[in-house]
Amino acid sequence: MNIYDLIKSSIRSLKANKMRAFLTMLGIIIGISSVISMSAIGKGGQKSITGNLQSTGYGNFQIAVNTTSDDYVEEYDLTDKQVAEISKIDGVEAVAPKIQNMAQLSFPNYPDKKERGFLSVTTKAYENIDPVEYLYGRSFIDSEYETYEKLITIDSETAKDYYGSYEGAIGEIIELQVGGREAPSYKYKIVGVFKNPYIGVTSLFGARFKPRVLRVPLKAYMTTSGTDKYAALIAKAKDPEKLNEVISKVQENLDLQAPAKVYEVSSSTQNGASFDSILSTLNIFITFIAGISLLVGGVGVMNIMLVSVTERIREIGIRKAIGAQPRSILLQFLVEAVIISTLGGIIGLFVGISFAYLVFLLIGIEPVFSLFIVILALVVSMLIGIIFGVTPARKAAKMNPVDALRA
């Protein structure tokens, strides 16, 4: 009997006992769907948590000069030289000067009104490391980072309060004074409005406290500060999970340029990589627990196939009596077991995907499906049919035709 006839005969046999075949598949369906859904939900939850960490600077780290070190001298101050060198280190995605100051704000349309605001000096790399969501206008273009033109972007709350709307703020002038009352002030032209990153604080305190947030290009700022040295740099790792490894590489590079402890490399989210690793391990453990149900399904397949062999003893005896080989009988029962487990695996795959999306609709965790897990689950379902179908198939193949006919 060729393989085509074997498959056709197996399908015919399964159709004759549809309910029993479905109940046999049920264990496989539950096992496969559990593995697929738990893996997808677990990965989705991990991605969601990691995404929230990234929004708070997960994967970012700082480089600072320890001016209190006995070995510190001014020549060790951070400059564009260190920015260029660190950006070439394997695992570093971007590096930028970290310059943040309090500034006094003046508005031409409110001459008597002055406020304090958080000023961040930005570069193209800085926008990658600490991005903001632009609601109107734009960020700075590449050429504007290279010129000394006084341009600025402001937060959404400031735009609404002093210019009436996001659109109304574009093209207007705001005056900044950094460094105390005696410091000169400079006029900047507004080119973009971004979402206030402290909007939650704004909502909490209402009109009593509204943090003003501004960004200006580095070169435009440096013309007012009169220096090309930086107190600190901020950098971003390509892979947040390898943050500790990247920090070690950067520290080693800097220690070659100055005595130990002059440069300090650190991150407030340095333990985030360990946390992400724990989540990955937990996800694997949950998926493994779900996979145990596949063993239960496999036992069910073996049990039903043994029942099927018992029920079809006379059929086996007749086939052997007319010349059927033991190998042919073994393959027939083995193919039946594989078909049951494979169909169960395919149905379980769709059930698992559907359940994962149902969870997404109910609690908002978007599932992340792994092609490897999907293929592995289907392969395992086929192997279950082979492994748990061998014993009943061998029992049928070794049966004595005389005893079978007598039964």
Side-chain angles (χ1 to χ4, degrees):
M1 186 180 287
N2 59 40
I3 191 66
Y4 174 75
D5 291 331
L6 281 172
I7 294 173
K8 191 165 67 172
S9 174
S10 300
I11 293 174
R12 190 186 306 119
S13 175
L14 293 175
K15 281 183 177 180
N17 297 280
K18 294 178 184 177
M19 181 56 70
R20 188 171 70 184
F22 175 74
L23 292 175
T24 307
M25 290 180 196
L26 199 57
I28 304 295
I29 292 170
I30 292 171
I32 293 294
S33 62
S34 298
V35 170
I36 295 294
S37 58
M38 289 300 99
S39 171
I41 293 168
K43 285 182 177 294
Q46 182 182 350
K47 182 181 177 182
S48 176
I49 293 170
T50 304
N52 290 335
L53 284 172
Q54 287 177 340
S55 67
T56 59
Y58 177 46
N60 295 352
F61 58 96
Q62 293 80 40
I63 302 101
V65 181
N66 181 9
T67 54
T68 61
S69 171
D70 294 336
D71 296 315
Y72 167 76
V73 291
E74 284 190 12
E75 67 181 76
Y76 294 141
D77 285 342
L78 295 164
T79 64
D80 289 332
K81 175 188 174 184
Q82 280 79 20
V83 173
E85 289 181 354
I86 294 170
S87 64
K88 295 176 183 176
I89 295 175
D90 184 40
V92 176
E93 183 173 328
V95 188
K98 185 178 181 181
I99 305 173
Q100 295 175 327
N101 277 319
M102 292 299 296
Q104 182 170 275
L105 319 181
S106 301
F107 307 90
N109 47 345
Y110 291 90
D112 299 326
K113 183 75 172 178
K114 294 185 183 294
E115 283 213 47
R116 301 284 287 174
F118 300 102
L119 175 66
S120 292
V121 178
T122 186
T123 63
K124 187 176 181 180
Y126 188 88
E127 292 291 331
N128 179 19
I129 299 167
D130 185 20
V132 289
E133 179 186 352
Y134 280 87
L135 303 176
Y136 202 86
R138 58 177 174 80
S139 179
F140 306 108
I141 59 177
D142 292 354
S143 61
E144 290 169 347
Y145 288 118
E146 301 302 321
T147 65
Y148 299 96
E149 187 179 0
K150 297 289 190 294
L151 301 175
I152 192 170
T153 57
I154 66 173
D155 72 275
S156 51
E157 295 300 305
T158 303
K160 287 190 293 184
D161 290 345
Y162 288 96
Y163 302 101
S165 65
Y166 305 152
E167 183 180 0
I170 304 302
E172 294 296 328
I173 300 297
I174 188 171
E175 196 168 336
L176 301 186
Q177 185 181 35
V178 181
R181 294 182 179 179
E182 303 302 320
S185 60
Y186 296 89
K187 293 180 180 181
Y188 288 81
K189 180 182 176 182
I190 301 169
V191 296
V193 176
F194 55 83
K195 184 178 179 181
N196 192 314
Y198 307 109
I199 193 70
V201 178
T202 303
S203 302
L204 182 63
F205 290 95
R208 289 176 297 172
F209 174 71
K210 288 190 177 182
R212 309 301 179 182
V213 189
L214 315 103
R215 291 191 171 193
V216 298
L218 175 65
K219 285 199 172 182
Y221 175 82
M222 298 307 276
T223 58
T224 65
S225 66
T227 179
D228 58 356
K229 296 181 178 180
Y230 316 120
L233 304 178
I234 185 170
K236 180 180 182 180
K238 288 181 181 178
D239 184 355
E241 293 184 27
K242 297 181 179 178
L243 177 62
N244 294 338
E245 181 184 329
V246 173
I247 286 177
S248 297
K249 289 181 181 179
V250 173
Q251 185 71 67
E252 288 173 9
N253 178 276
L254 291 170
D255 287 344
L256 295 174
Q257 303 179 34
K261 298 184 180 180
V262 171
Y263 295 115
E264 297 176 342
V265 186
S266 62
S267 170
S268 59
T269 60
Q270 200 161 347
N271 293 326
S274 300
F275 181 65
D276 194 63
S277 178
I278 292 170
L279 288 176
S280 297
T281 305
L282 184 61
N283 184 35
I284 292 170
F285 177 73
I286 292 171
T287 304
F288 174 76
I289 295 298
I292 292 176
S293 59
L294 281 171
L295 294 177
V296 178
V299 172
V301 170
M302 183 168 65
N303 184 42
I304 293 300
M305 291 309 297
L306 284 170
V307 171
S308 179
V309 169
T310 303
E311 286 182 345
R312 295 158 64 185
I313 286 179
R314 288 186 62 81
E315 176 194 328
I316 295 167
I318 292 170
R319 289 186 60 192
K320 282 204 164 190
I322 61 176
Q325 296 296 314
R327 178 175 175 274
S328 176
I329 293 172
L330 183 144
L331 283 175
Q332 181 179 353
F333 283 93
L334 197 57
V335 167
E336 284 185 27
V338 171
I339 289 174
I340 286 175
S341 60
T342 304
L343 282 176
I346 293 170
I347 296 171
L349 172 62
F350 287 105
V351 171
I353 291 173
S354 300
F355 181 77
Y357 277 110
L358 178 62
V359 171
F360 171 55
L361 294 174
L362 292 175
I363 62 177
I365 296 178
E366 185 175 0
V368 177
F369 296 99
S370 167
L371 182 61
F372 172 75
I373 293 294
V374 170
I375 294 173
L376 181 64
L378 292 175
V379 170
V380 167
S381 68
M382 293 177 65
L383 289 175
I384 284 173
I386 295 172
I387 294 168
F388 289 93
V390 163
T391 299
R394 289 182 66 186
K395 180 182 177 181
K398 290 181 178 181
M399 196 170 290
N400 188 301
V402 175
D403 293 337
L405 287 171
R406 186 185 298 122

